[in-house]
Amino acid sequence: MEDKLRTEKSNITTMMEFILLGFSDILNFQWILLGIFLVLYLTILMCNSVIVLITRIDPTLQTPMYFFLNHFSILEICYVNDTISRMLTDLLNQKGTFLSCVACTTQMYLALLFGGLECLFLAVMAYDSYVAICNPLHYGLIKSPQVCVQLVTASSVSGVPVVIGQTWPVFSLPFCRSTTINHFFCDLPPVFKLACGDAFVNEIAVYAVAVLFIMVPFLLTGVSYGKIISNILKSPSARGRAEVFSTCSFHLTVVVLFYGTAPTTYLQPKPNPSEDTGKLISPFYTVWISTLNPNIFTLRNKDITVALRKLLSKLSI
């Protein structure tokens, strides 16, 4: 009998549909938001695609730094396609969207996976900058092509079980309350709020995984940059300090922007009491930062701008 009840409860959760509210509650501004987010979405796709292209075809950019930047840009493209594309469709239709439990689970899983991999890639890129600046004589040995591939592979593989550890505790609970998600994609906190039953253990599990996936890469990134700054301050040449700091300042800017917003949403066991807060914060780390990242990487990096000019000159011939 008990097994039968569990099966029925599981079937209800699997067959149910969620209503993704999006921005349908602000009808007067939907066309304005559609225009803004469409421009930002196309900018993210175009800029990151250009970075992927030039880091693959330009011989001068075949270094570990640009190898990691290439994969980071691919992650950005995947992330915005998972989170923003559906939002644009909802704004165009001017109404909420019905999502099956499977579709919602898939979107949440991919969003957490791509966002978590960005944390890991930022830590790997920080370590790359540390080796290049603090141990330049052994850089080629430490950051061989094989090591770079291994770091990317290890980051990608390790993200899968960690994200499962975040999504499983949410969807293992029954959903017996309102199925309306006051958000523009199936994010963890607003969906968790709809679950009923004793969720204490599940909340602790989600919180522990979030700490592991966000704080550990953040601490590793902080240690790398702490050693870089210490090395810069020891340099006797003011010009040398300026050049070295300029080399990694764009990466540090991305790190500050990313970690200044995402932990606000995920590093809390229970969702924020104000549903609109999460919906207003989320565009910063899903849209605004994704728009700024490629521009920071291109405008603040001489190698990228030179390679881009060479590509444009070839296309204009």
Side-chain angles (χ1 to χ4, degrees), residues 20-188:
L20 201 60
L21 189 61
F23 294 101
S24 59
D25 53 338
I26 45 176
L27 296 173
N28 296 332
F29 298 97
Q30 286 207 9
W31 289 111
I32 297 175
L33 291 174
L34 176 63
I36 293 173
F37 285 122
L38 180 60
V39 170
L40 294 176
Y41 175 66
L42 294 177
T43 300
I44 294 169
L45 292 184
M46 182 181 68
C47 292
N48 281 289
S49 297
V50 169
I51 292 177
V52 172
L53 177 63
I54 61 178
T55 52
R56 285 181 180 271
I57 67 174
D58 195 293
T60 62
L61 301 181
Q62 304 306 307
T63 63
M65 173 183 176
Y66 297 110
F67 175 79
F68 296 130
L69 177 57
N70 175 281
H71 286 80
F72 186 79
S73 296
I74 293 173
L75 276 177
E76 289 278 27
I77 293 172
C78 295
Y79 188 54
V80 297
N81 274 322
D82 181 60
T83 56
I84 303 179
S85 56
R86 186 179 294 277
M87 177 187 66
L88 293 174
T89 303
D90 296 342
L91 287 171
L92 184 63
N93 295 331
Q94 296 191 2
K95 61 181 181 180
T97 302
F98 287 92
L99 286 178
S100 67
C101 189
V102 174
C104 186
T105 306
T106 303
Q107 187 182 41
M108 181 189 295
Y109 175 84
L110 292 176
L112 292 174
L113 178 63
F114 296 140
L117 289 180
E118 286 191 14
C119 294
L120 296 175
F121 271 64
L122 287 173
V124 169
M125 293 167 71
Y127 175 67
D128 177 72
S129 298
Y130 159 71
V131 176
I133 295 171
C134 301
N135 200 358
L137 297 178
H138 297 88
Y139 182 76
L141 180 62
I142 297 174
K143 284 304 183 72
S144 64
Q146 293 81 5
V147 172
C148 293
V149 172
Q150 289 171 1
L151 285 172
V152 170
T153 304
S155 299
S156 302
V157 172
S158 64
V160 174
V162 174
V163 174
I164 291 176
Q166 280 199 301
T167 52
W168 178 82
V170 179
F171 290 97
S172 63
L173 292 169
F175 293 91
C176 52
R177 302 177 187 174
S178 170
T179 56
T180 301
I181 303 173
N182 188 14
H183 212 284
F184 59 89
F185 72 99
C186 285
D187 204 4
L188 184 63

